[in-house]
Amino acid sequence: MPRFAYHQFLYGSDNYGVLVHDPETQLTAAIDAGDHSAYQQALDEKGWQLSHIFITHHHGDHTEGLEALATSTGAHVYGPSGDNPGHVHIMTQLSEGDEIAFAGEQIKVLHTPGHTLDMLNFYLPTESVCFTGDTLFSLGCGRVFEGDFNMMWHSLSKLMALPSDTIIYSSHEYTEANAKFALSVDPDNQMLKDRAAEVASKRAQGQPTVPSLLSEEMATNPFLRASDSGMRAYLGMAEATDAEVFAEVRTRKDNF
Ligand code: ZN
Ligand code: FE
């Protein structure tokens, strides 16, 4: 049974921030800190005091407000290890397999490099929630900047191994564009067609398409469907490895 409250808000052009609040202890965690005033406004709106900040990766749209937010709230900052300039304000450095207690519940740290080498995702088993940063998006995945396709496929495979009812909070509202691309590589997937229509109507009403369920992503997100025989047949890759199919789909997206 979930016990936390979640507040998702937009900042920048298409970034999502999330606050996780425990009504019992009054502890509140922020996922990333890309914009100090947007996070502060979200906290004020809810009347929550920030106690924890969890950073997914060093990119500016996830870290630019960190120093100011940590200073103004006194929150403890957890995030990736390394000597990147984006890591300066991280107090507790985390890596794969680390476990943190938040309000008495466990947060498991998953290292999912590919988009960046430092990328961390945060999984809350008792809540069935995973914060996937710029690794896994609704109907998409992050562009591979610092790693390689094999590394990204391995990282996505870690997320695919989570329970299918896991709620996926990703960091950007990219879903409508992702749906257009997804249909170009998996055009016969009826669940994808239905989801693309649903996404278009939600966006037309200004509604978010994040979070989503891992089970929906497994059925419709082409970056998780390297083993799907229909998509493989369409791509002419029936004999390829899953990593090769993923690399082909990611390359096509880069050029879409
Ligand atoms: Zn990023
Ligand atoms: Fe980002």
Side-chain angles (χ1 to χ4, degrees):
M1 269 297 282
R3 68 178 256 210
F4 299 149
Y6 295 80
H7 178 57
Q8 178 180 262
F9 54 95
L10 263 179
Y11 67 91
S13 50
D14 49 40
N15 275 85
Y16 281 125
V18 185
L19 300 175
V20 183
H21 177 73
D22 175 37
E24 265 175 65
T25 60
Q26 294 292 313
L27 293 172
T28 302
I31 308 304
D32 286 326
D35 180 319
H36 176 224
S37 63
Y39 276 74
Q40 193 57 60
Q41 196 188 318
L43 287 161
D44 292 345
E45 213 173 283
K46 302 304 285 185
W48 296 346
Q49 302 279 339
L50 196 64
S51 54
H52 297 64
I53 300 172
F54 294 103
I55 298 294
T56 59
H57 66 299
H58 68 83
H59 281 162
D61 63 313
H62 301 255
T63 55
E64 261 160 23
L66 177 56
E67 183 177 14
L69 191 65
T71 306
S72 68
T73 61
H76 192 89
V77 184
Y78 300 82
S81 56
D83 55 6
N84 191 290
H87 297 152
V88 179
H89 304 288
I90 291 169
M91 300 163 184
T92 299
Q93 301 200 326
L94 302 170
S95 50
E96 169 71 26
D98 282 349
E99 294 178 5
I100 314 150
F102 172 74
E105 304 291 351
Q106 178 192 51
I107 298 181
K108 288 188 183 184
V109 177
L110 305 173
H111 182 217
T112 61
H115 176 72
T116 60
L117 294 179
D118 69 340
M119 181 70 77
L120 300 181
N121 293 170
F122 300 99
Y123 174 50
L124 286 67
T126 58
E127 298 279 299
S128 291
V129 162
C130 191
F131 296 97
T132 61
D134 288 2
T135 300
L136 175 61
F137 295 129
S138 286
L139 289 177
C141 78
R143 189 181 273 259
V144 178
F145 286 122
E146 295 179 5
D148 60 30
F149 291 148
N150 267 320
M151 185 188 281
M152 188 64 156
W153 173 245
H154 181 74
S155 293
L156 289 169
S157 300
K158 276 189 203 175
L159 299 174
M160 291 163 71
L162 297 177
S164 63
D165 64 351
T166 303
I167 300 163
I168 303 293
Y169 279 90
S170 52
S171 295
H172 291 270
E173 182 58 66
Y174 288 157
T175 318
E176 196 166 16
N178 286 343
K180 292 196 175 83
F181 169 74
L183 287 165
S184 79
V185 289
D186 197 12
D188 302 324
N189 181 342
Q190 187 57 46
M191 284 180 78
L192 172 59
K193 289 187 226 180
D194 293 346
R195 190 172 175 203
E198 188 192 318
V199 163
S201 97
K202 275 191 174 168
R203 294 306 297 150
Q205 298 165 59
Q207 291 174 18
T209 63
V210 175
S212 60
L213 280 178
L214 182 59
S215 57
E216 289 180 84
E217 299 304 329
M218 297 289 284
T220 55
N221 184 328
F223 298 98
L224 303 187
R225 292 172 54 72
S227 68
D228 179 73
S229 56
M231 193 178 80
R232 283 169 160 261
Y234 183 78
L235 295 173
M237 297 186 79
E239 306 299 323
T241 65
D242 288 353
E244 286 166 347
V245 175
F246 168 76
E248 172 65 20
V249 174
R250 188 58 253 181
T251 302
R252 286 185 183 221
K253 176 70 162 66
D254 291 345
N255 299 312
F256 188 66

